[in-house]
Amino acid sequence: MAAYKLNPDHWVDLYADYLFNYAIARVSDAEIAKDLVQETFFAGLKSAKNYKGDAAERTWLIAILKRKVIDHYRKINSNKGKAEVRINYNTSSESEGDWLEEQVADPFSKDGDNTIENEELGLAIEDCISKLPKKQSLVFKMKTIQGMSTEDICNELGINPSNLWVMIHRARTALMGCMNQTWF
Amino acid sequence: MKISLEKAKQICTKSQYGEATWWELVQLNVYLLFSKECAEFSSKNKKLTSLCERAGLDTLSEDDKDDMKKKLKKHL
């Protein structure tokens, strides 16, 4: 029997946002990403007995999620026969006379690199946020990521604005320390 | 008028969300003139704001998480 124990009770609190960001970067749809995260947790439970502790719990869940994302695209592509490829020639008069080659993706474009770097950055921030005390992390996310008003957060959590700013300040200071070496 | 370094840093954080008052901003700017530590903190704080914006982070709502927990509990 494996000596390594998983903690599914804490999976949602500890990993849901990290997995969600990972998934949304790949499927670009919040609802699908949410479903994939939920399916990942179910699959994790199902194969919990196979967890040998070689990787951290989160890395193990990410590996499951990766397969879920692949399955998702396979499912979409299984409808391939019904799909049809359309090439839209640009008919606007402004681009009349332009070469067709100019309309295809630029292989030297840095957009792809930026997307990958921003995804890495997002996961690095999420990783650091997950190391914060629970309430600090919650307040930081509500204010910085969800963009909620100070008043709404205070009402929801039953704290006063002074407490809120102290918590956000501590969270940001900790995040700066956590991300310091790679990103600053 | 005189504020502590910690208070100056807190105002700096508040200003990242555009919620520092006019008077707090005056206090912070005066402090920044004399404190190298506060100036460094302020620059890192701004950088953190721009990194968060660049990363385009998403988060699940608490309701979504509660829902996930309930479904997961059924499978436990």
Side-chain angles (χ1 to χ4, degrees):
Chain A
M1 187 69 201
Y4 303 98
K5 207 172 179 306
L6 292 163
N7 285 308
D9 289 341
H10 305 292
W11 281 356
V12 176
D13 284 333
L14 292 174
Y15 311 123
D17 279 330
Y18 188 90
L19 297 178
F20 181 65
N21 275 287
Y22 183 94
I24 209 167
R26 280 155 184 82
V27 298
S28 307
D29 183 301
E31 280 306 308
I32 295 172
K34 201 170 73 183
D35 290 345
L36 289 173
V37 173
Q38 182 81 71
E39 284 173 25
T40 299
F41 288 147
F42 291 155
L45 274 184
K46 220 172 166 183
S47 55
K49 55 180 179 297
N50 300 329
Y51 179 69
K52 294 184 177 72
D54 297 336
E57 205 172 41
R58 193 182 70 190
T59 313
W60 181 72
L61 288 168
I62 282 282
I64 298 173
L65 177 58
K66 273 182 193 169
R67 288 200 295 272
K68 292 283 166 201
V69 172
I70 292 169
D71 288 348
H72 164 72
Y73 281 109
R74 276 198 186 130
K75 214 183 277 175
I76 290 174
N77 285 336
S78 68
N79 293 327
K80 213 157 85 185
K82 296 170 200 162
E84 81 184 83
V85 178
R86 288 169 189 266
I87 297 173
N88 291 321
Y89 292 98
N90 200 337
T91 52
S92 80
S93 57
E94 264 179 42
S95 50
E96 203 176 337
D98 284 355
W99 294 100
L100 191 60
E101 285 85 343
E102 286 171 4
Q103 295 176 30
V104 300
D106 175 7
F108 301 106
S109 162
K110 288 189 173 159
D111 288 355
D113 291 346
N114 287 341
T115 309
I116 292 167
E117 195 183 312
N118 289 347
E119 192 201 323
E120 275 175 22
L121 170 64
L123 293 176
I125 296 175
E126 198 55 62
D127 188 32
C128 288
I129 292 174
S130 71
K131 291 173 184 156
L132 295 172
K134 199 179 172 208
K135 201 146 189 193
Q136 268 181 36
S137 133
L138 181 64
V139 173
F140 177 81
K141 281 178 184 173
M142 289 167 105
K143 188 74 189 156
T144 314
I145 303 175
Q146 296 173 2
M148 286 174 71
S149 74
T150 301
E151 198 187 345
D152 287 348
I153 300 172
C154 288
N155 288 339
E156 200 164 308
L157 302 178
I159 54 175
N160 62 43
S162 280
N163 289 337
L164 175 136
W165 287 115
V166 168
M167 274 191 260
I168 289 182
H169 175 63
R170 286 183 183 157
R172 289 182 73 98
T173 308
L175 289 179
M176 285 177 218
C178 178
M179 299 189 63
N180 206 8
Q181 288 174 348
T182 323
W183 296 96
F184 281 88
Chain B
M1 176 77 187
K2 181 123 176 77
I3 53 172
S4 67
L5 173 62
E6 196 51 29
K7 178 74 185 164
K9 285 179 175 177
Q10 272 185 37
I11 296 172
C12 176
T13 290
K14 228 171 149 181
S15 74
Q16 293 306 303
Y17 297 88
E19 292 193 33
T21 62
W22 176 83
W23 177 239
E24 283 174 330
L25 288 175
V26 171
Q27 288 177 308
L28 174 64
N29 284 317
V30 170
Y31 205 97
L32 284 171
L33 292 173
F34 304 103
S35 171
K36 201 179 159 203
E37 191 182 338
C38 191
E40 275 172 16
F41 178 85
S42 173
S43 137
K44 279 188 180 177
N45 215 350
K46 282 180 194 159
K47 175 86 178 170
L48 179 66
T49 301
S50 85
L51 288 176
C52 287
E53 282 169 3
R54 214 175 87 196
L57 289 170
D58 281 292
T59 185
L60 288 161
S61 70
E62 286 307 300
D63 288 345
D64 284 337
K65 287 184 187 172
D66 287 342
D67 193 39
M68 273 188 179
K69 281 180 192 170
K70 276 179 202 157
K71 287 179 182 165
L72 198 56
K73 220 170 187 176
K74 279 184 193 165
H75 281 70
L76 273 174

